Amino acid sequence: MTGAIQPDLAMAASLFDALGRATRQGRGIVRDSYGEGEQAAHDIVRAAAAGMALEITLDAIGNLFMTLPGKDRSAPRIIVGSHLDSVPQGGNYDGAAGVVAGLCALSGLRRAGVVPDYDLSVMAIRAEESAWFDVAYLGSGGAFGLLDPGCLAIARSDNGVSLEATLRERGFDPQPIRARRRLLDPGGLRAYLELHIEQGPTLVARGLPAAVVSGIRGCKRFRNARCVGEYAHSGAVSRPHRHDAVAATVALLHHMETVWLQHEERGEDLVLTTGELFTDPGMHGPSKVAGETRFVLDIRALSAATMESVAAEARAAAARIADAYRVRFDLGATSDSPPAVLDERLRARLMSLLDHPFQMASGAGHDAAVFAKVGVPSAMIFVRNEHGSHNPDEGMALEDFAVGARALLALLLDFPL
Amino acid sequence: MTGAIQPDLAMAASLFDALGRATRQGRGIVRDSYGEGEQAAHDIVRAAAAGMALEITLDAIGNLFMTLPGKDRSAPRIIVGSHLDSVPQGGNYDGAAGVVAGLCALSGLRRAGVVPDYDLSVMAIRAEESAWFDVAYLGSGGAFGLLDPGCLAIARSDNGVSLEATLRERGFDPQPIRARRRLLDPGGLRAYLELHIEQGPTLVARGLPAAVVSGIRGCKRFRNARCVGEYAHSGAVSRPHRHDAVAATVALLHHMETVWLQHEERGEDLVLTTGELFTDPGMHGPSKVAGETRFVLDIRALSAATMESVAAEARAAAARIADAYRVRFDLGATSDSPPAVLDERLRARLMSLLDHPFQMASGAGHDAAVFAKVGVPSAMIFVRNEHGSHNPDEGMALEDFAVGARALLALLLDFPL
């Protein structure tokens, strides 16, 4: 295979255009998981795959495989994939860009007459977003038999129809999910590659078209943290006699910010967020010392050890601050999702393929995390995107997409590494 | 007059007992402003005053004066007073202790056969608590023509009956309030003295039975402060790109605590409280950077200049922090009540009358602030009290009350200073 082969960007442009036209409702994109919007997107990419004579198959739960057959059909294959669903009133690129990138890479290979040594499949994954059934990765998790069968009973957030009924309605089979049966054998996969828009502003800020994803952050979250002090008259109780839950919570969160800054200085990946914080509306008052706060502390990092040590530091700091402020912290249990390790060799190769090599962590989850979890060497490319994701204003320029798609195709042409 | 004369503590004990029995409902005391509970308390103290042959008068809005006539009836008199109403489910001492202290001082004088040079009046003030009509100091403010006549339309918080209708129902006259007419001439008052339970834990913590009140803190309150950032994915947006309203608010409140500590170190009276703080429950989420917070910043100090400078510092810090965190603070206007200056000579004299002289600020407001505002030399004595005030567990020991009542009587015997 040679470097002169290029992704089919004209096809990419027309696919983005068709996807947007078919699934826009008002300002935003609606490709409801296992719903009409997602199906419309599947129909569009399937037609494109048929147009270039790819082999088309569907698994029991609706994941769509569009394959350029290789010389050795039994050899482990490469999957290039992403999802085609969107959040309600989402944008045109979150998920779809990865499927389109795979198709326009295979189209480039087809037009160049390349027959790869082994199969190259584009996988249009179902239902990655948790917005509809309150569970993420239904498609990729289901493909590897990883879903809790209880998810079949979950009602779709807008129409109340269960996942099971929804699957049946579309002609799919809930049985493999119920039996936790694998539809895809990780051993049959050489690699999983995913291109995705960046969901944050880093590439825009750095003026870079694309990046290699270093890993997908895990999350360790104190979901129901609480500080309990004592309500008191704000004027009549002096500082040394207060049990001020707000002051103590402020002290804890301020301390955790300094912990974050120390990690930043050492170059250790970490993000800390308190997105919910509130006094009790039934008890608080403008002239009362607050007797209680509730808050979330969301810890994300590429390293499980970092998350563990930051959580331990939060607990230790809470104990110190509780003493100093005469309050009690009850941080509660954490809900944990482990970080996903992306393949080091694939990342290094992708870095060498970028004119401006840059590596960054993904803070949001992706199907790639599921593939990495079952041991498939996985890699991701981020493409610059304006205005974040999960909103109608997602803005990915085709030139930036082209940079990512070229790196993806070059990586495919390079295999085996 | 001589120092051998003592307050009538037996009367005090029996009055506290009678007040508690007449106005307890369940665990707590209910002496509703201009309601049956307050009236029952008025009836009890009036009967006691009648029993010692004090001269009894009532002003148009129900304030009760119980006077030991002096030799010169036209000379400026001294008023010893406090209020007889309570919050719903309050305690037996908040307010009542001051009226009882006045009566047992006059009883001591009566029993000793003392005829003072000028009138000494105990004033049982109406409706000091804002719990019932959402306005504090209705009785004392009304006596000096200071009330906004609009207050007559305010509905009582529990039964919805307007203040005007409530006054008429009790046989009082709302007209002076409507006309902002004075019922009491500040020029005819030599001094106003008020004994009150401490509403905080300072005297308990210091092991002191009583204190001289140095002044009544004013309040400058940012009632509707707001920080506006941008909602974002907690994992995908790194620190330098965030507009995190919680992080910025934490930074501001942490800074204000250091400002408070600096004032404490310099011995400058100040309390700072954020009793309400919350992200938007309709918009926040555990994996979202918070795009908005709302909070209160309550600044109280004995010095108006201190409150002004702390408020200015809050605004300046908010501007700096807004820049650093890429958010916008809208602190809004402050609602202000000025500090009350208590008379320096009276305070010095009271200090000299305590075995363990101690002076402390009052953080809560009192009728004394109204008398001080119209230029009457005013002083206050705090008596140690367990469990704070405005709750059924107010706990004042009679021995501590006796220390305060003796100082009060000694001050009366000392006049003119």
Side-chain angles (χ1 to χ4, degrees), chain A residues 324-354:
Chain A
Y325 285 80
R326 298 162 298 279
V327 300
R328 183 165 60 80
F329 277 102
D330 176 10
L331 296 187
T334 55
S335 57
D336 294 31
S337 65
V341 178
L342 297 179
D343 187 77
E344 202 174 327
R345 286 200 315 157
L346 292 176
R347 289 193 283 126
R349 189 70 193 111
L350 277 173
M351 285 289 276
S352 75
L353 293 169
L354 291 179

PDB file of all heavy atoms in Angstrom, chain A residues 324-354:
ATOM      1  N   ALA A 324     -11.508  21.778  61.995  1.00  0.00           N
ATOM      2  CA  ALA A 324     -11.246  23.215  62.078  1.00  0.00           C
ATOM      3  C   ALA A 324     -12.541  24.029  62.092  1.00  0.00           C
ATOM      4  O   ALA A 324     -12.620  25.063  62.736  1.00  0.00           O
ATOM      5  CB  ALA A 324     -10.358  23.655  60.913  1.00  0.00           C
ATOM      6  N   TYR A 325     -13.542  23.552  61.366  1.00  0.00           N
ATOM      7  CA  TYR A 325     -14.792  24.318  61.245  1.00  0.00           C
ATOM      8  C   TYR A 325     -15.910  23.755  62.124  1.00  0.00           C
ATOM      9  O   TYR A 325     -17.043  24.205  62.038  1.00  0.00           O
ATOM     10  CB  TYR A 325     -15.239  24.375  59.772  1.00  0.00           C
ATOM     11  CG  TYR A 325     -14.418  25.329  58.938  1.00  0.00           C
ATOM     12  CD1 TYR A 325     -13.168  24.959  58.444  1.00  0.00           C
ATOM     13  CD2 TYR A 325     -14.874  26.619  58.654  1.00  0.00           C
ATOM     14  CE1 TYR A 325     -12.411  25.831  57.686  1.00  0.00           C
ATOM     15  CE2 TYR A 325     -14.120  27.493  57.895  1.00  0.00           C
ATOM     16  CZ  TYR A 325     -12.889  27.085  57.418  1.00  0.00           C
ATOM     17  OH  TYR A 325     -12.141  27.961  56.659  1.00  0.00           O
ATOM     18  N   ARG A 326     -15.601  22.730  62.930  1.00  0.00           N
ATOM     19  CA  ARG A 326     -16.603  22.168  63.832  1.00  0.00           C
ATOM     20  C   ARG A 326     -17.845  21.687  63.085  1.00  0.00           C
ATOM     21  O   ARG A 326     -18.976  21.952  63.469  1.00  0.00           O
ATOM     22  CB  ARG A 326     -16.989  23.201  64.903  1.00  0.00           C
ATOM     23  CG  ARG A 326     -15.847  23.636  65.806  1.00  0.00           C
ATOM     24  CD  ARG A 326     -16.131  24.945  66.539  1.00  0.00           C
ATOM     25  NE  ARG A 326     -16.323  26.044  65.617  1.00  0.00           N
ATOM     26  CZ  ARG A 326     -15.337  26.732  65.033  1.00  0.00           C
ATOM     27  NH1 ARG A 326     -14.078  26.464  65.315  1.00  0.00           N
ATOM     28  NH2 ARG A 326     -15.595  27.694  64.178  1.00  0.00           N
ATOM     29  N   VAL A 327     -17.618  20.998  61.972  1.00  0.00           N
ATOM     30  CA  VAL A 327     -18.715  20.423  61.186  1.00  0.00           C
ATOM     31  C   VAL A 327     -18.393  18.960  60.928  1.00  0.00           C
ATOM     32  O   VAL A 327     -17.359  18.447  61.361  1.00  0.00           O
ATOM     33  CB  VAL A 327     -18.876  21.146  59.824  1.00  0.00           C
ATOM     34  CG1 VAL A 327     -19.184  22.612  60.022  1.00  0.00           C
ATOM     35  CG2 VAL A 327     -17.626  20.953  58.955  1.00  0.00           C
ATOM     36  N   ARG A 328     -19.279  18.284  60.230  1.00  0.00           N
ATOM     37  CA  ARG A 328     -19.061  16.906  59.860  1.00  0.00           C
ATOM     38  C   ARG A 328     -19.223  16.802  58.348  1.00  0.00           C
ATOM     39  O   ARG A 328     -20.170  17.342  57.775  1.00  0.00           O
ATOM     40  CB  ARG A 328     -20.134  16.047  60.555  1.00  0.00           C
ATOM     41  CG  ARG A 328     -20.038  14.575  60.348  1.00  0.00           C
ATOM     42  CD  ARG A 328     -20.916  13.829  61.369  1.00  0.00           C
ATOM     43  NE  ARG A 328     -22.327  14.198  61.267  1.00  0.00           N
ATOM     44  CZ  ARG A 328     -23.173  13.710  60.345  1.00  0.00           C
ATOM     45  NH1 ARG A 328     -22.754  12.855  59.441  1.00  0.00           N
ATOM     46  NH2 ARG A 328     -24.441  14.086  60.319  1.00  0.00           N
ATOM     47  N   PHE A 329     -18.249  16.162  57.696  1.00  0.00           N
ATOM     48  CA  PHE A 329     -18.399  15.871  56.264  1.00  0.00           C
ATOM     49  C   PHE A 329     -18.791  14.413  56.110  1.00  0.00           C
ATOM     50  O   PHE A 329     -18.244  13.540  56.786  1.00  0.00           O
ATOM     51  CB  PHE A 329     -17.084  16.095  55.514  1.00  0.00           C
ATOM     52  CG  PHE A 329     -16.834  17.527  55.121  1.00  0.00           C
ATOM     53  CD1 PHE A 329     -15.951  18.311  55.850  1.00  0.00           C
ATOM     54  CD2 PHE A 329     -17.470  18.086  54.036  1.00  0.00           C
ATOM     55  CE1 PHE A 329     -15.713  19.635  55.501  1.00  0.00           C
ATOM     56  CE2 PHE A 329     -17.244  19.410  53.668  1.00  0.00           C
ATOM     57  CZ  PHE A 329     -16.352  20.178  54.403  1.00  0.00           C
ATOM     58  N   ASP A 330     -19.734  14.176  55.230  1.00  0.00           N
ATOM     59  CA  ASP A 330     -20.065  12.812  54.862  1.00  0.00           C
ATOM     60  C   ASP A 330     -19.946  12.761  53.340  1.00  0.00           C
ATOM     61  O   ASP A 330     -20.876  13.114  52.616  1.00  0.00           O
ATOM     62  CB  ASP A 330     -21.485  12.480  55.334  1.00  0.00           C
ATOM     63  CG  ASP A 330     -21.905  11.093  54.892  1.00  0.00           C
ATOM     64  OD1 ASP A 330     -21.044  10.338  54.391  1.00  0.00           O
ATOM     65  OD2 ASP A 330     -23.100  10.768  55.036  1.00  0.00           O
ATOM     66  N   LEU A 331     -18.746  12.389  52.873  1.00  0.00           N
ATOM     67  CA  LEU A 331     -18.521  12.407  51.419  1.00  0.00           C
ATOM     68  C   LEU A 331     -19.234  11.246  50.732  1.00  0.00           C
ATOM     69  O   LEU A 331     -19.500  11.300  49.535  1.00  0.00           O
ATOM     70  CB  LEU A 331     -17.022  12.359  51.101  1.00  0.00           C
ATOM     71  CG  LEU A 331     -16.190  13.563  51.578  1.00  0.00           C
ATOM     72  CD1 LEU A 331     -14.757  13.458  51.049  1.00  0.00           C
ATOM     73  CD2 LEU A 331     -16.799  14.890  51.131  1.00  0.00           C
ATOM     74  N   GLY A 332     -19.545  10.211  51.483  1.00  0.00           N
ATOM     75  CA  GLY A 332     -20.262   9.077  50.897  1.00  0.00           C
ATOM     76  C   GLY A 332     -19.357   8.238  50.014  1.00  0.00           C
ATOM     77  O   GLY A 332     -18.156   8.488  49.895  1.00  0.00           O
ATOM     78  N   ALA A 333     -19.944   7.230  49.404  1.00  0.00           N
ATOM     79  CA  ALA A 333     -19.187   6.345  48.520  1.00  0.00           C
ATOM     80  C   ALA A 333     -18.953   7.039  47.177  1.00  0.00           C
ATOM     81  O   ALA A 333     -19.644   7.984  46.835  1.00  0.00           O
ATOM     82  CB  ALA A 333     -19.962   5.058  48.308  1.00  0.00           C
ATOM     83  N   THR A 334     -17.954   6.576  46.456  1.00  0.00           N
ATOM     84  CA  THR A 334     -17.748   7.094  45.108  1.00  0.00           C
ATOM     85  C   THR A 334     -18.395   6.141  44.109  1.00  0.00           C
ATOM     86  O   THR A 334     -18.486   4.944  44.340  1.00  0.00           O
ATOM     87  CB  THR A 334     -16.250   7.199  44.757  1.00  0.00           C
ATOM     88  OG1 THR A 334     -15.633   5.923  44.956  1.00  0.00           O
ATOM     89  CG2 THR A 334     -15.559   8.233  45.615  1.00  0.00           C
ATOM     90  N   SER A 335     -18.865   6.707  42.984  1.00  0.00           N
ATOM     91  CA  SER A 335     -19.205   5.851  41.849  1.00  0.00           C
ATOM     92  C   SER A 335     -18.020   5.950  40.893  1.00  0.00           C
ATOM     93  O   SER A 335     -17.521   7.035  40.617  1.00  0.00           O
ATOM     94  CB  SER A 335     -20.513   6.287  41.204  1.00  0.00           C
ATOM     95  OG  SER A 335     -20.436   7.625  40.793  1.00  0.00           O
ATOM     96  N   ASP A 336     -17.577   4.789  40.440  1.00  0.00           N
ATOM     97  CA  ASP A 336     -16.296   4.734  39.737  1.00  0.00           C
ATOM     98  C   ASP A 336     -16.438   4.191  38.324  1.00  0.00           C
ATOM     99  O   ASP A 336     -17.138   3.210  38.110  1.00  0.00           O
ATOM    100  CB  ASP A 336     -15.329   3.797  40.486  1.00  0.00           C
ATOM    101  CG  ASP A 336     -14.940   4.341  41.848  1.00  0.00           C
ATOM    102  OD1 ASP A 336     -15.780   5.036  42.454  1.00  0.00           O
ATOM    103  OD2 ASP A 336     -13.817   4.089  42.296  1.00  0.00           O
ATOM    104  N   SER A 337     -15.806   4.819  37.361  1.00  0.00           N
ATOM    105  CA  SER A 337     -15.586   4.144  36.083  1.00  0.00           C
ATOM    106  C   SER A 337     -14.104   4.278  35.768  1.00  0.00           C
ATOM    107  O   SER A 337     -13.523   5.353  35.892  1.00  0.00           O
ATOM    108  CB  SER A 337     -16.475   4.720  34.986  1.00  0.00           C
ATOM    109  OG  SER A 337     -16.135   6.038  34.723  1.00  0.00           O
ATOM    110  N   PRO A 338     -13.479   3.151  35.420  1.00  0.00           N
ATOM    111  CA  PRO A 338     -12.028   3.153  35.280  1.00  0.00           C
ATOM    112  C   PRO A 338     -11.588   3.897  34.016  1.00  0.00           C
ATOM    113  O   PRO A 338     -12.363   4.010  33.063  1.00  0.00           O
ATOM    114  CB  PRO A 338     -11.683   1.670  35.174  1.00  0.00           C
ATOM    115  CG  PRO A 338     -12.922   1.027  34.645  1.00  0.00           C
ATOM    116  CD  PRO A 338     -14.081   1.850  35.126  1.00  0.00           C
ATOM    117  N   PRO A 339     -10.384   4.402  34.000  1.00  0.00           N
ATOM    118  CA  PRO A 339      -9.871   5.026  32.783  1.00  0.00           C
ATOM    119  C   PRO A 339      -9.633   3.957  31.716  1.00  0.00           C
ATOM    120  O   PRO A 339      -9.471   2.777  32.036  1.00  0.00           O
ATOM    121  CB  PRO A 339      -8.533   5.638  33.210  1.00  0.00           C
ATOM    122  CG  PRO A 339      -8.211   5.083  34.546  1.00  0.00           C
ATOM    123  CD  PRO A 339      -9.413   4.387  35.102  1.00  0.00           C
ATOM    124  N   ALA A 340      -9.681   4.371  30.453  1.00  0.00           N
ATOM    125  CA  ALA A 340      -9.401   3.430  29.355  1.00  0.00           C
ATOM    126  C   ALA A 340      -8.000   3.716  28.830  1.00  0.00           C
ATOM    127  O   ALA A 340      -7.674   4.861  28.509  1.00  0.00           O
ATOM    128  CB  ALA A 340     -10.420   3.583  28.238  1.00  0.00           C
ATOM    129  N   VAL A 341      -7.209   2.671  28.766  1.00  0.00           N
ATOM    130  CA  VAL A 341      -5.840   2.814  28.266  1.00  0.00           C
ATOM    131  C   VAL A 341      -5.858   2.607  26.756  1.00  0.00           C
ATOM    132  O   VAL A 341      -6.310   1.577  26.261  1.00  0.00           O
ATOM    133  CB  VAL A 341      -4.925   1.773  28.932  1.00  0.00           C
ATOM    134  CG1 VAL A 341      -3.509   1.889  28.374  1.00  0.00           C
ATOM    135  CG2 VAL A 341      -4.935   1.963  30.441  1.00  0.00           C
ATOM    136  N   LEU A 342      -5.395   3.607  26.041  1.00  0.00           N
ATOM    137  CA  LEU A 342      -5.324   3.461  24.579  1.00  0.00           C
ATOM    138  C   LEU A 342      -3.928   2.951  24.210  1.00  0.00           C
ATOM    139  O   LEU A 342      -2.947   3.187  24.919  1.00  0.00           O
ATOM    140  CB  LEU A 342      -5.675   4.787  23.904  1.00  0.00           C
ATOM    141  CG  LEU A 342      -7.134   5.228  24.192  1.00  0.00           C
ATOM    142  CD1 LEU A 342      -7.443   6.559  23.534  1.00  0.00           C
ATOM    143  CD2 LEU A 342      -8.139   4.159  23.724  1.00  0.00           C
ATOM    144  N   ASP A 343      -3.875   2.233  23.107  1.00  0.00           N
ATOM    145  CA  ASP A 343      -2.668   1.469  22.754  1.00  0.00           C
ATOM    146  C   ASP A 343      -1.473   2.380  22.473  1.00  0.00           C
ATOM    147  O   ASP A 343      -1.544   3.287  21.625  1.00  0.00           O
ATOM    148  CB  ASP A 343      -2.974   0.606  21.533  1.00  0.00           C
ATOM    149  CG  ASP A 343      -1.840  -0.333  21.219  1.00  0.00           C
ATOM    150  OD1 ASP A 343      -1.711  -1.357  21.922  1.00  0.00           O
ATOM    151  OD2 ASP A 343      -1.046  -0.020  20.297  1.00  0.00           O
ATOM    152  N   GLU A 344      -0.368   2.091  23.142  1.00  0.00           N
ATOM    153  CA  GLU A 344       0.776   2.993  23.070  1.00  0.00           C
ATOM    154  C   GLU A 344       1.406   3.012  21.674  1.00  0.00           C
ATOM    155  O   GLU A 344       1.770   4.070  21.158  1.00  0.00           O
ATOM    156  CB  GLU A 344       1.808   2.551  24.115  1.00  0.00           C
ATOM    157  CG  GLU A 344       2.737   3.670  24.500  1.00  0.00           C
ATOM    158  CD  GLU A 344       3.652   3.258  25.649  1.00  0.00           C
ATOM    159  OE1 GLU A 344       3.192   2.467  26.496  1.00  0.00           O
ATOM    160  OE2 GLU A 344       4.800   3.740  25.686  1.00  0.00           O
ATOM    161  N   ARG A 345       1.526   1.828  21.060  1.00  0.00           N
ATOM    162  CA  ARG A 345       2.140   1.796  19.726  1.00  0.00           C
ATOM    163  C   ARG A 345       1.277   2.506  18.692  1.00  0.00           C
ATOM    164  O   ARG A 345       1.774   3.242  17.843  1.00  0.00           O
ATOM    165  CB  ARG A 345       2.382   0.342  19.303  1.00  0.00           C
ATOM    166  CG  ARG A 345       3.560  -0.292  20.041  1.00  0.00           C
ATOM    167  CD  ARG A 345       4.056  -1.502  19.283  1.00  0.00           C
ATOM    168  NE  ARG A 345       2.912  -2.324  18.850  1.00  0.00           N
ATOM    169  CZ  ARG A 345       2.947  -3.171  17.831  1.00  0.00           C
ATOM    170  NH1 ARG A 345       4.056  -3.320  17.132  1.00  0.00           N
ATOM    171  NH2 ARG A 345       1.892  -3.880  17.519  1.00  0.00           N
ATOM    172  N   LEU A 346      -0.042   2.278  18.780  1.00  0.00           N
ATOM    173  CA  LEU A 346      -0.943   2.957  17.834  1.00  0.00           C
ATOM    174  C   LEU A 346      -0.879   4.471  18.027  1.00  0.00           C
ATOM    175  O   LEU A 346      -0.856   5.239  17.055  1.00  0.00           O
ATOM    176  CB  LEU A 346      -2.388   2.472  18.024  1.00  0.00           C
ATOM    177  CG  LEU A 346      -2.681   1.020  17.642  1.00  0.00           C
ATOM    178  CD1 LEU A 346      -4.129   0.659  17.989  1.00  0.00           C
ATOM    179  CD2 LEU A 346      -2.428   0.794  16.143  1.00  0.00           C
ATOM    180  N   ARG A 347      -0.817   4.893  19.289  1.00  0.00           N
ATOM    181  CA  ARG A 347      -0.745   6.334  19.556  1.00  0.00           C
ATOM    182  C   ARG A 347       0.543   6.928  18.996  1.00  0.00           C
ATOM    183  O   ARG A 347       0.534   8.003  18.383  1.00  0.00           O
ATOM    184  CB  ARG A 347      -0.837   6.590  21.065  1.00  0.00           C
ATOM    185  CG  ARG A 347      -2.229   6.331  21.636  1.00  0.00           C
ATOM    186  CD  ARG A 347      -2.353   6.886  23.042  1.00  0.00           C
ATOM    187  NE  ARG A 347      -1.698   6.067  24.048  1.00  0.00           N
ATOM    188  CZ  ARG A 347      -0.787   6.505  24.907  1.00  0.00           C
ATOM    189  NH1 ARG A 347      -0.408   7.776  24.882  1.00  0.00           N
ATOM    190  NH2 ARG A 347      -0.252   5.685  25.777  1.00  0.00           N
ATOM    191  N   ALA A 348       1.637   6.216  19.201  1.00  0.00           N
ATOM    192  CA  ALA A 348       2.936   6.718  18.720  1.00  0.00           C
ATOM    193  C   ALA A 348       2.920   6.826  17.191  1.00  0.00           C
ATOM    194  O   ALA A 348       3.402   7.810  16.609  1.00  0.00           O
ATOM    195  CB  ALA A 348       4.054   5.789  19.180  1.00  0.00           C
ATOM    196  N   ARG A 349       2.330   5.841  16.560  1.00  0.00           N
ATOM    197  CA  ARG A 349       2.274   5.848  15.095  1.00  0.00           C
ATOM    198  C   ARG A 349       1.412   7.013  14.604  1.00  0.00           C
ATOM    199  O   ARG A 349       1.787   7.724  13.661  1.00  0.00           O
ATOM    200  CB  ARG A 349       1.707   4.504  14.623  1.00  0.00           C
ATOM    201  CG  ARG A 349       1.791   4.302  13.137  1.00  0.00           C
ATOM    202  CD  ARG A 349       3.240   4.113  12.667  1.00  0.00           C
ATOM    203  NE  ARG A 349       3.316   4.227  11.205  1.00  0.00           N
ATOM    204  CZ  ARG A 349       3.911   5.243  10.565  1.00  0.00           C
ATOM    205  NH1 ARG A 349       4.555   6.194  11.248  1.00  0.00           N
ATOM    206  NH2 ARG A 349       3.916   5.296   9.245  1.00  0.00           N
ATOM    207  N   LEU A 350       0.256   7.195  15.281  1.00  0.00           N
ATOM    208  CA  LEU A 350      -0.615   8.315  14.889  1.00  0.00           C
ATOM    209  C   LEU A 350       0.094   9.653  15.091  1.00  0.00           C
ATOM    210  O   LEU A 350      -0.019  10.561  14.258  1.00  0.00           O
ATOM    211  CB  LEU A 350      -1.916   8.298  15.708  1.00  0.00           C
ATOM    212  CG  LEU A 350      -3.022   7.362  15.212  1.00  0.00           C
ATOM    213  CD1 LEU A 350      -4.175   7.324  16.216  1.00  0.00           C
ATOM    214  CD2 LEU A 350      -3.547   7.810  13.830  1.00  0.00           C
ATOM    215  N   MET A 351       0.834   9.793  16.171  1.00  0.00           N
ATOM    216  CA  MET A 351       1.575  11.031  16.419  1.00  0.00           C
ATOM    217  C   MET A 351       2.514  11.317  15.260  1.00  0.00           C
ATOM    218  O   MET A 351       2.639  12.463  14.798  1.00  0.00           O
ATOM    219  CB  MET A 351       2.373  10.920  17.729  1.00  0.00           C
ATOM    220  CG  MET A 351       1.521  11.026  18.989  1.00  0.00           C
ATOM    221  SD  MET A 351       0.873  12.694  19.278  1.00  0.00           S
ATOM    222  CE  MET A 351       2.290  13.443  20.103  1.00  0.00           C
ATOM    223  N   SER A 352       3.160  10.271  14.767  1.00  0.00           N
ATOM    224  CA  SER A 352       4.138  10.471  13.687  1.00  0.00           C
ATOM    225  C   SER A 352       3.451  10.853  12.382  1.00  0.00           C
ATOM    226  O   SER A 352       4.091  11.332  11.454  1.00  0.00           O
ATOM    227  CB  SER A 352       4.972   9.202  13.508  1.00  0.00           C
ATOM    228  OG  SER A 352       4.185   8.219  12.835  1.00  0.00           O
ATOM    229  N   LEU A 353       2.133  10.641  12.335  1.00  0.00           N
ATOM    230  CA  LEU A 353       1.398  10.925  11.101  1.00  0.00           C
ATOM    231  C   LEU A 353       0.797  12.336  11.071  1.00  0.00           C
ATOM    232  O   LEU A 353       0.237  12.754  10.068  1.00  0.00           O
ATOM    233  CB  LEU A 353       0.281   9.894  10.910  1.00  0.00           C
ATOM    234  CG  LEU A 353       0.754   8.457  10.632  1.00  0.00           C
ATOM    235  CD1 LEU A 353      -0.406   7.480  10.737  1.00  0.00           C
ATOM    236  CD2 LEU A 353       1.405   8.378   9.245  1.00  0.00           C
ATOM    237  N   LEU A 354       0.910  13.057  12.181  1.00  0.00           N
ATOM    238  CA  LEU A 354       0.358  14.424  12.226  1.00  0.00           C
ATOM    239  C   LEU A 354       1.462  15.443  11.976  1.00  0.00           C
ATOM    240  O   LEU A 354       2.576  15.306  12.480  1.00  0.00           O
ATOM    241  CB  LEU A 354      -0.274  14.695  13.595  1.00  0.00           C
ATOM    242  CG  LEU A 354      -1.569  13.938  13.942  1.00  0.00           C
ATOM    243  CD1 LEU A 354      -2.040  14.319  15.343  1.00  0.00           C
ATOM    244  CD2 LEU A 354      -2.662  14.234  12.912  1.00  0.00           C
TER     245      LEU A 354
END
